[in-house]
Amino acid sequence: MTIFEISKEGRIGFQLPDNNIKDFEINLPEHLLRKSLPRLPQVSEVDVVRHYTNLSTKNYSVDVGFYPLGSCTMKYNPKVNEKVASFEEFSMIHPFQPHETVQGALKLMYDLKEMLCEITGMDDMTLIPSAGAHGELTGMLISRAYHLSRGDTKRTKVIVPDSAHGTNPASARMAGFDVIELKSGPDGRVDLNELEKVLDETVAVIMLTNPNTLGLFEKDILKIAQMAHEKGALLYYDGANLNAILGRTRPGDMGFDIVHLNLHKTFSTPHGMGGPGSGPVGVKKHLAKFLPIPEIVKTEDKYTLNYNKPESIGFIRSYFGNFSVMVRAYTYIKTMGKDGLKRVGEMAVLNANYLRVKVSKIMDIAYPGICMHEFVSTCEKLTKETGVKALDIAKRLLDYGIHAPTMYFPLIVHEDFMIEPTETESKDTLDKFAQILEKIFNEARENPELIKGAPYNTPVRRLDDVSASRKPVFKYNFEE
Amino acid sequence: MHRYIPHTEEEIKEMLKEIGINSIEDLYMDVPKTIEEYNLENGKDEFSVLKEIKSLSKLNKVFEPEKVFAGAGIYFHYIPTVVETLSNNQNFVTAYTPYQAEVSQGTLQALFEYQTMMCELTGMDVANSSMYDGATALAEAMLMAVRINNKTKILAAGSINPEFLATSKTYCTPQNIEIETVKWTESGTIDLEDLKSKIDDNTSAVVVGYPNFFGIVEDLKQIKEILPDNVVYIVVSEPIALSILEAPGKFGADIVVGEGQSLGITPNYGGPGIGFFTTLAKHVRKMPGRIIGETKDVDGKKGYVMILQTREQHIRRAKATSNICSNHALMALKNAIYMSVIGPEGLRKVARMSYNATHYLAEKLVEKGYNLTFNGPFFNEFVFNAGENYYEKWKTMANEGILGPLPLEKAMPNFKNSALACCTEVNTKESIDELLKHF
């Protein structure tokens, strides 16, 4: 039932006080005055509480169970982070208060920036971008500004591997570049010969994720960095998979010039069903002047905001970014510390490899051998044998109370699952997942129709998304 | 050992054995070790972390809501307790993008209802399930206009929020889209003559605020009358105002965007808020962002899924309508809960109380001899000449617990000694009278 169907004419859910001020006549031309009220719900507070509480029970979340979405890094979200973000001193401050009255917020952002620079090996950073993809766009705009500042106008291309997140090519395009897709080598990594072929003086940036989306570390990274820099191109690091290398190696040390982070992934801020995220962008010294405005400046013992950066790419959104997400990430780093972050990297990789070995007894692994924080498996054989597809297996997993892994990504592996357990899952959980997966594979061989009909135990069963897009219904139909 | 990491030493040994390696080190054979340890502190227990951050937070000054007279895009409104309580439900907070619709109906239905409410407020056919903020929503609206008509000049009223305009410029420049600003008149509304003279064959869109950054309500009807048919009409609006202002959809708007923070979201030092984005059904395939639609499951039961994903980056890659992926879904949920609990009459009352408080303040300032900068109709904000050295006075007031009208000079250098005043339903007659003592 929708909230609109619960609605009853005349019910109210909130009362407002009297501000003791007389009614002023509304001084507007008649045609600008609203004739009929928007059809918002008319419900009591109890109705609202029950409606949204009931909706919440129709959601799977990290707090409910295992969420092995590769490339999304669904780790546990510590509750203390939420508590800190809700401090009134953080949530109830206006972005344009005098700087003297927000020294805590500015210091927190400044210190977070410093800590993230240390973790990434970069010289400077902006916290403003609102999500990973927003960070990518920021990074691409910085690259554009850098090349143009040197009078280098011929660099119109960005090289992106075919295994990259879809946001990479889209972000490069939004910054006005043409995208060259780089075919992965047989080992799932960048093929240096292919790279050599397309890398010339018209290339502005090479965008890489390392470890890449197949969960493999680009072993030749130092060579790739050298090749990029020799041709005058910049090397961009997509930080989606930073979890794997925490405490071990840093993008800045590998030769990357620009890096974006996903605070909601690596630093455990919750993803809120689709956001808000936060996508800080770090750069090496020679690019710092292009970072967006405003920048946070520390002078002796005072923090201020500087808007006067003539070579900056300018504003990329209003105010200073998703501050309350930054508060969560700051709390997480303080909690974990250097020892904890290193442990995160190690256990994320250990869990992925352990699960890879377990899963390899059930499905093929696309690129066998040691992986990093995630791996890609394929059920192509099962599909040929029984007609049961990865999608069907995914839906059956839901019946067993487990969220399905990422499917059909990267695009270069067929009928695949990309599985990322993260460091916060126990061996018991991984064992249980492998057992259930094996059980489903056995079910598929014995009774493929059973799996093709899944799920059975979810709030709704398999949804028709084809006709949902063909004849789209964008909003509630009040006339129904 | 660490409290968020469950592995015992015994388990680690068993796992290494299953993998067939001897130590954790063996997992990193491909990775150059470039750092022994970070130059950071060691991790801390929860007591210590809370204590440390609490003391840091005390360096911020929280103004009593009724003593805040600053707006400029971020507004202090009453937020009913249920908004925080319900939106903090961890089944919402710790869920990901609804990739598996069958176990994400909570997310999907809430966002579908949010979309419906935004369509109701704006009078448009379709809303997406959110953008980062008002500024990026406007920037993306301009890119969308260019996709609609393939023209590359945008005419934007100079009275749009300056950070929205600056962000739009950052987004548009690399795509060779030019933004030209249009003058305002003495009333603070868009200069129709200037607008007319600037419209040419290459004009893709015209952007106006409703109300604009000065708080002035533009006459959307008059503006529409001078627009050629194929020019995209973009309106930037404030959702609370839309409970007393006629919906932009009624005046032929093609795209209505804005910042939705005022609908139940705390100020959060400016983020996260939420960008809302609505348009007409005929333009939907050019629209950026995620859209939720209604459908049926195999048993004929109603359900919700993400639709029209072929526009999006994970399918279309470099040819996508936008690169946006993570949006501000949790904030859309807060908007939906707020609108549910406040209802249509409540929203209009919020708007009415805000209007009254703002006009009371303006009336009293005029009585004291201060001049309003514009004579056009305003909603809950207005610009006035606050006198010499207003910036210093503003800081003095802050020391006395009042966040006064914002000095405009920083955002708009031409407005020396001017201030942008804002009242909402949280300001009382007493708090306004207290502010007036400083003038």
Side-chain angles (χ1 to χ4, degrees), chain A residues 34, chain B residues 71-77 118 121-122 134 161 164 208-213 215-217 235-248 256-264 274 276 335 338 347 350-351 354 379-381 422-425:
Chain A
R34 186 149 193 150
Chain B
I74 296 288
Y75 303 96
F76 279 68
H77 287 285
M118 292 320 295
L121 275 186
T122 55
N161 183 322
F164 287 22
V208 293
Y210 181 68
N212 64 28
F213 186 64
I216 303 289
V217 180
V235 176
V236 184
S237 196
E238 208 296 308
I240 299 271
L242 291 179
S243 60
I244 55 175
L245 298 182
E246 185 58 280
V256 184
V257 294
E259 172 60 55
Q261 177 270 333
S262 50
L263 299 170
I274 179 175
F276 68 85
N335 281 176
Y338 175 82
L347 197 68
V350 167
S354 304
F379 171 59
N380 72 342
E381 283 179 297
C422 173
C423 293
T424 70
E425 80 283 10

Side-chain angles (χ1 to χ4, degrees), chain A residues 23-24 34 39 59-60 79 101 118 164 247-248 273-274 315 318-319 351 361 395 459 461 464, chain B residues 7 18 25 38-39 61 90 100 102-103 107 120 133 163 170 242 295 297 301 317 327 352 356:
Chain A
D23 261 346
F24 281 77
R34 186 149 193 150
R39 287 168 292 182
N59 257 14
Y60 195 92
K79 302 309 161 200
T101 66
E118 170 64 17
R248 194 97 198 165
M273 317 175 286
F315 280 84
S318 52
Y319 319 113
N351 270 1
K361 294 168 185 164
K395 296 302 178 197
R461 294 192 48 218
D464 181 359
Chain B
H7 304 68
E18 177 81 29
E25 278 307 299
Y38 296 133
N39 181 19
K61 184 180 179 90
Q90 297 294 299
Q100 294 293 336
E102 293 83 357
V103 290
T107 297
E120 281 295 308
D133 70 344
E163 296 201 3
T170 307
L242 291 179
T295 189
D297 76 355
K301 199 169 165 186
R317 300 178 80 82
N327 56 17
R352 199 66 175 88
N356 289 341

